[in-house]
Amino acid sequence: MRRSGNTRRRGRTGRLVAAGVACGAALAALTVPAAEARTLGPGGGGVHWAAKDTGTPQVRFRGLAAVDRHTAWLAGTGGTVLRTTDGGSSWRNVSPPGAGDLQFRDVEAFDARHAVVLAIGEGEASRVYRTDDGGTTWTESFRNTDPNAFYDCLAFFDRRHGLAMGDPVDGKFRILSTSDGGRSWRVLPTRGMPPALDGEAGFAASGQCLVTSGAKDVWLATGGGAHARVLHSADRGLTWTAAEAPVPAGDPAKGVFALAFRDRTHGLAVGGDYRPGRPSPYAAAVTADGGRTWTPAATPPPDYRSGAAWLPYSRSAALAVGPTGTDLTTDGGRTWRTIDTGSYDTVSCTPDLSCWAAGEQGRAARLER
């Protein structure tokens, strides 16, 4: 019996290693030099987004939490939450009961059983739910009662500590905090938050307008004001500093839509003008000092982008996605090239060398070769 158990263990380990090698090869193929990539075609040597049929063409998924190459959560319109544990071969509808009128725009998952989802909207439309059993049951842990508040994004530092950001109320961005994994929330004081610009707000476009790195650092992205900005806190949201980001601004449809940090100093910002057909020049920027200063990308993505993610363990490679395509950088965000023209709103990569994307018409995909 012991020998049989060891054989099963070795077999499972072998399959996991093989899966990691295959996925790692796909990511490695993406990062070949641009000159070589041109000879490999638009997919970069056969690397492509492999569609994973969710069976929900009526849903737009702007919330995505990739746990590993097998497990991912999606959150979207119509109060829809889906979960896969077999790499996207099948999806289970785990939507909270009675949520059909809500728009879920963000989901944060700790594993295949524990997740938190955010519904956006004015007043009581902004809510947070948590599940501890893979979506079989949900608990509503927060319902906004302020008619002036509108929440956009969630982010966690670890399994217990997290924040949610909301658009300005009384001239300052509103921040919710949890210290019990999203089971309860409290509004943080605003005395450490700088004043918002006229018309400034966040964009609930990909669940990436609020991101964390490490135990205490968090950044939030803004638009709609005279300048696009990135705000940073090094104390879990108690005090913030603001920096201008050199991306299109000065209009309610323009700004920074997504952030991605590979550590507490190196980050990316992407965005632009989300209206179809509108040009979005210089819609990407980079920072190497934790967001104190931002530099425009020398060769940005050609259009508006709503989501971004660093490739696992890479110091220089990242993906950006939007309705008109996916772009890759292999030099830390200074230059980008389009590798796919499919429509995706959000992207997420995991420690076991997998990347997932999701978007309109029920789309979900995993990067494969």
Side-chain angles (χ1 to χ4, degrees), residues 232-247:
H232 171 238
S233 171
D235 55 12
R236 290 185 181 162
L238 295 177
T239 60
W240 298 79
T241 57
E244 291 186 12
V247 303

Side-chain angles (χ1 to χ4, degrees), residues 158-162 177-186:
D158 52 43
R159 295 179 71 97
R160 296 184 58 198
H161 300 91
S177 175
T178 181
S179 58
D180 56 12
R183 296 177 177 87
S184 64
W185 299 83
R186 66 184 181 95

Side-chain angles (χ1 to χ4, degrees), residues 96-115:
D101 292 333
L102 300 179
Q103 289 202 42
F104 290 124
R105 293 292 183 93
D106 200 355
V107 55
E108 301 292 325
F110 307 112
D111 50 41
R113 296 181 58 81
H114 303 86

Side-chain angles (χ1 to χ4, degrees), residues 174-318:
R174 178 162 288 188
I175 304 295
L176 289 178
S177 175
T178 181
S179 58
D180 56 12
R183 296 177 177 87
S184 64
W185 299 83
R186 66 184 181 95
V187 177
L188 292 182
T190 61
R191 57 181 174 269
M193 176 69 71
L197 305 177
D198 289 343
E200 191 175 28
F203 292 108
S206 61
Q208 296 175 320
C209 58
L210 183 74
V211 300
T212 63
S213 180
K216 294 185 177 181
D217 286 277
V218 57
W219 297 262
L220 69 85
T222 83
H227 306 284
R229 300 198 298 174
V230 176
L231 279 63
H232 171 238
S233 171
D235 55 12
R236 290 185 181 162
L238 295 177
T239 60
W240 298 79
T241 57
E244 291 186 12
V247 303
D251 185 281
K254 298 178 181 179
V256 177
F257 282 72
L259 299 168
F261 275 78
R262 67 172 173 83
D263 53 39
R264 65 189 308 266
T265 57
H266 298 87
L268 307 170
V270 299
D273 188 331
Y274 71 77
R275 292 169 293 193
R278 296 293 186 97
S280 290
Y282 311 111
V286 299
T287 181
D289 57 13
R292 288 190 293 273
T293 60
W294 292 84
T295 302
T299 306
D303 295 302
Y304 154 74
R305 294 294 182 252
S306 55
W310 290 90
L311 270 61
Y313 309 112
S314 175
R315 298 176 60 85
S316 59

